[in-house]
Amino acid sequence: LAQGNFEAPLPEAGRDEVGRLAEAFGSMRGELQSARDDLAAREQFLSTVLARVTVGVAVIDADQQVVVLNPSGAHILTDFRPEVDEKRGAVQMMQDFRHLGHGSGRAAGELVSNDGRRTVRGALAPLELPGERTDTMLVFEDITEFLTTKKMAINAELARQVAHEIKNPLTPIQLSVQLLSQAWQDKHPQLDQIVPDTVERVLQQVKLLRSIATEFSLLGRPGELDTEVVDLLSLVQDVTGAYEVGEAGEGPSHRVTIAAGALPPVAAHRESLQKILGNLMQNSLDAARDEAPLEVEVKWRVVPETLTLVWRDNGSGLPPEVADRLFDPYFSTKSKGTGLGLVICRNLADRMHGSITLANSPDGPGAVAELTLPRVGRDG
């Protein structure tokens, strides 16, 4: 029995103590056999599941040894890290996820291969085992094709939307030219007035077309932006100062308050920052309420790695039902514009290794935007 032979014969159970012992031993042997069969069935079931699931599953012990790696995991690791064997790749992936979790035993996120061609999403967690043994379970999947399909769908939607946006100004251009042609043929008595009015309408629509083309090209540019050392406080003062000229020589209809102080420089692309700041200023102006003068307050949040610009206004704020769609391409709460402004801002911020968010102010009317950028010399 100790050697695993559950079929060895037992003496017939008699009526004495030895017989009762043989009977009890036989019952125990049957229970052990049944438990072993059940365990084997469970192991077979688990093995079948691990062999058929499309996600990778790896279990790594405290000595950095891979004790379980299913076929899908081995295939994903071969594509993700072809320069090392699958088990070494699993250990490296575990370490990378721990780095994402700042050393925590539980972490989740996405990793990009060294050549940038594949993306893996996964998570790791401790696996408590008998005997006070704790291994690490790593579950991961290759989402490269999913991201590619998603990107293609987004590009198709962008192409459809930009085609729609281009058609809008083309219609008044066509009608204006047809009107001008007909007036010319008829020698219309007001031709001197029709010509400049028509030309002005056409030029306005051409300007809109150029704006659509420019913003669409900004949105479609891939890769990182060339960054330089930028004094963000000075740039904010320059951009907001350009909006301080009122109409007919009057003063501005708004007030911008910028928190002063010594701020660390940021690594950013100057023209892209001007684009983002100009968009924030214009959005605040567009959201101004009739009953209250627009007030914009700019503050700062400094941490060792980044500098965050906090832009707050007292405008009309954001309707709750559109808050989740503000950064969708061609979605806009305004009756004019291309609907690409905030999308471009996020795209530019991402390409500078920064981020931008926009939400309603938690303590009053208006909206709050936060632009976060990497600091220069943050290691020092």
Side-chain angles (χ1 to χ4, degrees):
L1 182 65
Q3 295 174 354
N5 182 7
F6 288 81
E7 303 298 331
L10 291 174
E12 294 184 6
R15 297 179 178 272
D16 57 4
E17 294 179 355
V18 175
R20 289 194 296 272
L21 177 61
E23 183 179 9
F25 195 86
S27 298
M28 180 192 70
R29 183 177 70 171
E31 292 174 358
L32 284 174
Q33 176 66 43
S34 187
R36 189 175 74 164
D37 292 342
D38 183 58
L39 180 61
R42 290 171 181 262
E43 289 179 349
Q44 181 62 35
F45 173 77
L46 180 59
S47 177
T48 302
V49 170
L50 289 178
R52 294 184 179 181
V53 294
T54 58
V55 299
V57 179
V59 177
I60 304 167
D61 64 18
D63 296 326
Q64 307 288 294
Q65 298 298 315
V66 178
V67 295
V68 173
L69 179 62
N70 70 330
S72 293
H75 178 72
I76 294 171
L77 288 167
T78 299
D79 292 339
F80 190 75
R81 283 200 171 92
E83 67 275 9
V84 297
D85 63 79
E86 298 93 338
K87 291 188 176 181
R88 181 57 188 165
V91 174
Q92 290 181 358
M93 184 172 289
M94 177 192 69
Q95 295 170 345
D96 290 341
F97 277 115
R98 279 184 177 169
H99 180 72
L100 290 179
H102 304 287
S104 172
R106 295 181 180 272
E110 295 180 3
L111 300 174
V112 180
S113 61
N114 294 331
D115 58 9
R117 295 181 177 180
R118 309 205 73 82
T119 303
V120 166
R121 177 186 296 158
L124 58 86
L127 184 63
E128 303 293 339
L129 298 173
E132 299 183 355
R133 172 183 165 188
T134 301
D135 290 356
T136 299
M137 173 173 281
L138 175 64
V139 181
F140 51 97
E141 61 177 333
D142 191 331
I143 60 172
T144 305
E145 293 185 7
F146 166 77
L147 294 178
T148 300
T149 303
K150 181 179 179 181
K151 185 180 296 184
M152 291 176 62
I154 291 175
N155 289 339
E157 176 64 15
L158 288 177
R160 186 187 68 82
Q161 291 283 5
V162 78
H164 174 74
E165 293 293 330
I166 289 175
K167 288 179 181 178
N168 288 338
L170 286 179
T171 299
I173 288 176
Q174 180 181 3
L175 293 175
S176 297
V177 172
Q178 289 174 346
L179 172 64
L180 183 59
S181 175
Q182 188 64 46
W184 175 262
Q185 292 177 7
D186 296 343
K187 304 299 180 181
H188 197 284
Q190 297 181 349
L191 187 61
D192 290 344
Q193 182 61 37
I194 293 176
V195 170
D197 290 347
T198 305
V199 169
E200 179 63 25
R201 284 196 298 269
V202 170
L203 290 177
Q204 288 177 354
Q205 299 303 318
V206 169
K207 182 179 179 181
L208 178 57
L209 282 172
R210 182 168 295 164
S211 175
I212 294 172
T214 300
E215 295 195 346
F216 189 73
S217 66
L218 282 173
L219 186 63
R221 291 177 186 172
E224 300 177 2
L225 291 168
D226 294 330
T227 59
E228 59 182 291
V229 178
V230 176
D231 182 349
L232 188 55
L233 173 59
S234 176
L235 190 62
V236 171
Q237 292 171 338
D238 291 343
V239 172
T240 57
Y243 288 82
E244 291 181 355
V245 180
E247 296 182 0
E250 299 177 357
S253 59
H254 64 275
R255 182 177 65 180
V256 179
T257 304
I258 304 174
L263 296 175
V266 295
H269 186 262
R270 182 176 295 273
E271 292 182 3
S272 297
L273 270 185
Q274 290 173 333
K275 176 73 175 177
I276 294 173
L277 296 172
N279 187 274
L280 292 178
M281 188 71 233
Q282 190 60 55
N283 284 347
S284 293
L285 291 171
D286 292 340
R289 296 174 293 155
D290 295 335
E291 64 273 17
L294 175 66
E295 293 186 3
V296 176
E297 182 183 34
V298 178
K299 292 186 177 181
W300 314 94
R301 185 166 62 246
V302 182
V303 298
E305 297 289 330
T306 60
L307 170 63
T308 299
L309 176 153
V310 182
W311 180 289
R312 183 190 303 266
D313 65 36
N314 66 337
S316 56
L318 310 169
E321 65 272 13
V322 306
D324 295 334
R325 299 189 59 196
L326 288 171
F327 292 93
D328 287 355
Y330 296 102
F331 177 80
S332 178
T333 59
K334 307 174 187 177
S335 59
K336 58 182 180 178
T338 63
L340 283 173
L342 288 175
V343 186
I344 291 174
C345 288
R346 170 168 285 184
N347 178 265
L348 295 176
D350 289 344
R351 291 166 63 194
M352 292 186 288
H353 299 285
S355 63
I356 185 171
T357 61
L358 182 63
N360 279 322
S361 176
D363 53 0
V368 179
E370 294 193 1
L371 173 63
T372 301
L373 295 166
R375 289 177 48 179
V376 174
R378 53 188 180 272
D379 294 336

